[in-house]
PDB file of all heavy atoms in Angstrom:
ATOM      1  N   SER A 110      14.104  -2.134  14.085  1.00  0.00           N
ATOM      2  CA  SER A 110      12.769  -2.609  13.530  1.00  0.00           C
ATOM      3  C   SER A 110      12.691  -4.112  13.800  1.00  0.00           C
ATOM      4  O   SER A 110      11.697  -4.710  14.115  1.00  0.00           O
ATOM      5  CB  SER A 110      12.591  -2.224  12.146  1.00  0.00           C
ATOM      6  OG  SER A 110      12.298  -0.847  11.933  1.00  0.00           O
ATOM      7  N   LEU A 111      13.835  -4.763  13.447  1.00  0.00           N
ATOM      8  CA  LEU A 111      13.831  -6.228  13.691  1.00  0.00           C
ATOM      9  C   LEU A 111      13.666  -6.605  15.145  1.00  0.00           C
ATOM     10  O   LEU A 111      12.980  -7.607  15.550  1.00  0.00           O
ATOM     11  CB  LEU A 111      15.128  -6.813  13.101  1.00  0.00           C
ATOM     12  CG  LEU A 111      15.362  -8.308  13.084  1.00  0.00           C
ATOM     13  CD1 LEU A 111      14.242  -8.992  12.359  1.00  0.00           C
ATOM     14  CD2 LEU A 111      16.707  -8.733  12.618  1.00  0.00           C
ATOM     15  N   HIS A 112      14.268  -5.811  15.983  1.00  0.00           N
ATOM     16  CA  HIS A 112      14.156  -6.011  17.468  1.00  0.00           C
ATOM     17  C   HIS A 112      12.781  -5.887  17.901  1.00  0.00           C
ATOM     18  O   HIS A 112      12.231  -6.716  18.638  1.00  0.00           O
ATOM     19  CB  HIS A 112      15.114  -5.017  18.201  1.00  0.00           C
ATOM     20  CG  HIS A 112      14.820  -4.965  19.658  1.00  0.00           C
ATOM     21  ND1 HIS A 112      15.316  -5.952  20.580  1.00  0.00           N
ATOM     22  CD2 HIS A 112      14.213  -4.017  20.410  1.00  0.00           C
ATOM     23  CE1 HIS A 112      14.862  -5.613  21.747  1.00  0.00           C
ATOM     24  NE2 HIS A 112      14.276  -4.479  21.697  1.00  0.00           N
ATOM     25  N   LEU A 113      12.101  -4.799  17.459  1.00  0.00           N
ATOM     26  CA  LEU A 113      10.652  -4.552  17.790  1.00  0.00           C
ATOM     27  C   LEU A 113       9.777  -5.725  17.348  1.00  0.00           C
ATOM     28  O   LEU A 113       8.944  -6.158  18.108  1.00  0.00           O
ATOM     29  CB  LEU A 113      10.162  -3.327  17.222  1.00  0.00           C
ATOM     30  CG  LEU A 113      10.546  -1.930  17.863  1.00  0.00           C
ATOM     31  CD1 LEU A 113      10.119  -0.772  17.053  1.00  0.00           C
ATOM     32  CD2 LEU A 113      10.013  -1.894  19.359  1.00  0.00           C
ATOM     33  N   TYR A 114      10.067  -6.115  16.169  1.00  0.00           N
ATOM     34  CA  TYR A 114       9.271  -7.238  15.646  1.00  0.00           C
ATOM     35  C   TYR A 114       9.433  -8.452  16.498  1.00  0.00           C
ATOM     36  O   TYR A 114       8.409  -9.225  16.777  1.00  0.00           O
ATOM     37  CB  TYR A 114       9.658  -7.523  14.220  1.00  0.00           C
ATOM     38  CG  TYR A 114       9.332  -8.841  13.587  1.00  0.00           C
ATOM     39  CD1 TYR A 114       8.074  -9.092  13.165  1.00  0.00           C
ATOM     40  CD2 TYR A 114      10.254  -9.845  13.533  1.00  0.00           C
ATOM     41  CE1 TYR A 114       7.615 -10.292  12.615  1.00  0.00           C
ATOM     42  CE2 TYR A 114       9.849 -11.088  13.007  1.00  0.00           C
ATOM     43  CZ  TYR A 114       8.565 -11.328  12.528  1.00  0.00           C
ATOM     44  OH  TYR A 114       8.237 -12.564  11.996  1.00  0.00           O
ATOM     45  N   ARG A 115      10.678  -8.810  16.821  1.00  0.00           N
ATOM     46  CA  ARG A 115      10.861 -10.068  17.571  1.00  0.00           C
ATOM     47  C   ARG A 115      10.388  -9.921  19.044  1.00  0.00           C
ATOM     48  O   ARG A 115       9.938 -10.999  19.635  1.00  0.00           O
ATOM     49  CB  ARG A 115      12.324 -10.377  17.584  1.00  0.00           C
ATOM     50  CG  ARG A 115      12.870 -10.849  16.241  1.00  0.00           C
ATOM     51  CD  ARG A 115      14.376 -11.023  16.265  1.00  0.00           C
ATOM     52  NE  ARG A 115      14.883 -11.616  14.964  1.00  0.00           N
ATOM     53  CZ  ARG A 115      16.146 -11.705  14.661  1.00  0.00           C
ATOM     54  NH1 ARG A 115      17.081 -11.176  15.434  1.00  0.00           N
ATOM     55  NH2 ARG A 115      16.554 -12.328  13.517  1.00  0.00           N
ATOM     56  N   GLU A 116      10.617  -8.826  19.630  1.00  0.00           N
ATOM     57  CA  GLU A 116      10.283  -8.661  21.041  1.00  0.00           C
ATOM     58  C   GLU A 116       8.887  -8.181  21.377  1.00  0.00           C
ATOM     59  O   GLU A 116       8.461  -8.421  22.510  1.00  0.00           O
ATOM     60  CB  GLU A 116      11.371  -7.717  21.695  1.00  0.00           C
ATOM     61  CG  GLU A 116      12.775  -8.221  21.561  1.00  0.00           C
ATOM     62  CD  GLU A 116      12.991  -9.565  22.101  1.00  0.00           C
ATOM     63  OE1 GLU A 116      12.408  -9.902  23.213  1.00  0.00           O
ATOM     64  OE2 GLU A 116      13.837 -10.393  21.495  1.00  0.00           O
ATOM     65  N   GLU A 117       8.318  -7.455  20.445  1.00  0.00           N
ATOM     66  CA  GLU A 117       7.033  -6.843  20.824  1.00  0.00           C
ATOM     67  C   GLU A 117       5.911  -7.168  19.767  1.00  0.00           C
ATOM     68  O   GLU A 117       4.913  -7.771  20.082  1.00  0.00           O
ATOM     69  CB  GLU A 117       7.202  -5.379  20.857  1.00  0.00           C
ATOM     70  CG  GLU A 117       7.982  -4.864  22.067  1.00  0.00           C
ATOM     71  CD  GLU A 117       8.090  -3.366  22.165  1.00  0.00           C
ATOM     72  OE1 GLU A 117       7.113  -2.647  21.634  1.00  0.00           O
ATOM     73  OE2 GLU A 117       9.048  -2.835  22.619  1.00  0.00           O
ATOM     74  N   TYR A 118       6.133  -6.907  18.486  1.00  0.00           N
ATOM     75  CA  TYR A 118       5.088  -7.048  17.482  1.00  0.00           C
ATOM     76  C   TYR A 118       4.503  -8.450  17.384  1.00  0.00           C
ATOM     77  O   TYR A 118       3.395  -8.649  17.185  1.00  0.00           O
ATOM     78  CB  TYR A 118       5.628  -6.577  16.105  1.00  0.00           C
ATOM     79  CG  TYR A 118       5.513  -5.043  15.949  1.00  0.00           C
ATOM     80  CD1 TYR A 118       5.845  -4.166  16.936  1.00  0.00           C
ATOM     81  CD2 TYR A 118       5.132  -4.494  14.711  1.00  0.00           C
ATOM     82  CE1 TYR A 118       5.838  -2.853  16.790  1.00  0.00           C
ATOM     83  CE2 TYR A 118       5.073  -3.144  14.553  1.00  0.00           C
ATOM     84  CZ  TYR A 118       5.439  -2.294  15.543  1.00  0.00           C
ATOM     85  OH  TYR A 118       5.338  -0.928  15.353  1.00  0.00           O
ATOM     86  N   LYS A 119       5.409  -9.392  17.450  1.00  0.00           N
ATOM     87  CA  LYS A 119       4.892 -10.804  17.223  1.00  0.00           C
ATOM     88  C   LYS A 119       4.126 -11.252  18.440  1.00  0.00           C
ATOM     89  O   LYS A 119       3.405 -12.274  18.305  1.00  0.00           O
ATOM     90  CB  LYS A 119       6.118 -11.766  17.064  1.00  0.00           C
ATOM     91  CG  LYS A 119       6.949 -12.114  18.244  1.00  0.00           C
ATOM     92  CD  LYS A 119       7.922 -13.214  17.902  1.00  0.00           C
ATOM     93  CE  LYS A 119       8.610 -13.812  19.092  1.00  0.00           C
ATOM     94  NZ  LYS A 119       9.573 -14.841  18.684  1.00  0.00           N
ATOM     95  N   HIS A 120       4.174 -10.562  19.551  1.00  0.00           N
ATOM     96  CA  HIS A 120       3.386 -10.931  20.705  1.00  0.00           C
ATOM     97  C   HIS A 120       2.005 -10.194  20.742  1.00  0.00           C
ATOM     98  O   HIS A 120       1.249 -10.389  21.711  1.00  0.00           O
ATOM     99  CB  HIS A 120       4.177 -10.688  21.951  1.00  0.00           C
ATOM    100  CG  HIS A 120       5.436 -11.433  22.027  1.00  0.00           C
ATOM    101  ND1 HIS A 120       5.477 -12.799  22.003  1.00  0.00           N
ATOM    102  CD2 HIS A 120       6.713 -11.099  22.043  1.00  0.00           C
ATOM    103  CE1 HIS A 120       6.748 -13.221  22.115  1.00  0.00           C
ATOM    104  NE2 HIS A 120       7.483 -12.185  22.152  1.00  0.00           N
ATOM    105  N   ASN A 121       1.724  -9.328  19.804  1.00  0.00           N
ATOM    106  CA  ASN A 121       0.476  -8.613  19.794  1.00  0.00           C
ATOM    107  C   ASN A 121      -0.695  -9.543  19.674  1.00  0.00           C
ATOM    108  O   ASN A 121      -0.685 -10.503  18.890  1.00  0.00           O
ATOM    109  CB  ASN A 121       0.432  -7.544  18.646  1.00  0.00           C
ATOM    110  CG  ASN A 121       1.358  -6.462  18.850  1.00  0.00           C
ATOM    111  OD1 ASN A 121       1.687  -5.807  17.852  1.00  0.00           O
ATOM    112  ND2 ASN A 121       1.772  -6.163  19.990  1.00  0.00           N
ATOM    113  N   SER A 122      -1.735  -9.305  20.503  1.00  0.00           N
ATOM    114  CA  SER A 122      -2.911 -10.153  20.472  1.00  0.00           C
ATOM    115  C   SER A 122      -3.779  -9.812  19.240  1.00  0.00           C
ATOM    116  O   SER A 122      -3.603  -8.712  18.609  1.00  0.00           O
ATOM    117  CB  SER A 122      -3.810  -9.833  21.701  1.00  0.00           C
ATOM    118  OG  SER A 122      -4.353  -8.518  21.667  1.00  0.00           O
ATOM    119  N   PRO A 123      -4.643 -10.738  18.794  1.00  0.00           N
ATOM    120  CA  PRO A 123      -5.550 -10.460  17.643  1.00  0.00           C
ATOM    121  C   PRO A 123      -6.339  -9.167  17.863  1.00  0.00           C
ATOM    122  O   PRO A 123      -6.513  -8.356  16.894  1.00  0.00           O
ATOM    123  CB  PRO A 123      -6.488 -11.621  17.639  1.00  0.00           C
ATOM    124  CG  PRO A 123      -5.614 -12.816  18.180  1.00  0.00           C
ATOM    125  CD  PRO A 123      -4.790 -12.120  19.248  1.00  0.00           C
ATOM    126  N   GLU A 124      -6.716  -8.852  19.143  1.00  0.00           N
ATOM    127  CA  GLU A 124      -7.502  -7.652  19.376  1.00  0.00           C
ATOM    128  C   GLU A 124      -6.679  -6.398  19.092  1.00  0.00           C
ATOM    129  O   GLU A 124      -7.098  -5.440  18.451  1.00  0.00           O
ATOM    130  CB  GLU A 124      -8.014  -7.650  20.821  1.00  0.00           C
ATOM    131  CG  GLU A 124      -8.817  -6.401  21.147  1.00  0.00           C
ATOM    132  CD  GLU A 124      -9.228  -6.431  22.580  1.00  0.00           C
ATOM    133  OE1 GLU A 124      -8.816  -7.275  23.408  1.00  0.00           O
ATOM    134  OE2 GLU A 124     -10.147  -5.559  22.964  1.00  0.00           O
ATOM    135  N   VAL A 125      -5.396  -6.399  19.474  1.00  0.00           N
ATOM    136  CA  VAL A 125      -4.528  -5.213  19.293  1.00  0.00           C
ATOM    137  C   VAL A 125      -4.284  -5.050  17.743  1.00  0.00           C
ATOM    138  O   VAL A 125      -4.350  -3.943  17.267  1.00  0.00           O
ATOM    139  CB  VAL A 125      -3.147  -5.449  19.919  1.00  0.00           C
ATOM    140  CG1 VAL A 125      -2.160  -4.461  19.573  1.00  0.00           C
ATOM    141  CG2 VAL A 125      -3.382  -5.352  21.497  1.00  0.00           C
ATOM    142  N   ILE A 126      -4.043  -6.187  17.037  1.00  0.00           N
ATOM    143  CA  ILE A 126      -3.729  -6.077  15.585  1.00  0.00           C
ATOM    144  C   ILE A 126      -5.009  -5.582  14.875  1.00  0.00           C
ATOM    145  O   ILE A 126      -4.879  -4.721  13.989  1.00  0.00           O
ATOM    146  CB  ILE A 126      -3.376  -7.452  15.046  1.00  0.00           C
ATOM    147  CG1 ILE A 126      -1.956  -7.855  15.712  1.00  0.00           C
ATOM    148  CG2 ILE A 126      -3.332  -7.484  13.595  1.00  0.00           C
ATOM    149  CD1 ILE A 126      -1.609  -9.257  15.372  1.00  0.00           C
ATOM    150  N   LEU A 127      -6.206  -6.109  15.229  1.00  0.00           N
ATOM    151  CA  LEU A 127      -7.381  -5.666  14.510  1.00  0.00           C
ATOM    152  C   LEU A 127      -7.730  -4.182  14.744  1.00  0.00           C
ATOM    153  O   LEU A 127      -8.324  -3.518  13.891  1.00  0.00           O
ATOM    154  CB  LEU A 127      -8.582  -6.576  14.816  1.00  0.00           C
ATOM    155  CG  LEU A 127      -8.474  -7.980  14.345  1.00  0.00           C
ATOM    156  CD1 LEU A 127      -9.649  -8.866  14.944  1.00  0.00           C
ATOM    157  CD2 LEU A 127      -8.531  -8.017  12.834  1.00  0.00           C
TER     158      LEU A 127
END
Side-chain angles (χ1 to χ4, degrees):
S110 288
L111 184 59
H112 168 78
L113 281 175
Y114 163 77
R115 288 173 173 170
E116 302 300 324
E117 296 184 25
Y118 277 41
K119 78 174 188 178
H120 300 299
N121 289 160
S122 67
E124 182 180 11
V125 168
I126 292 171
L127 291 172

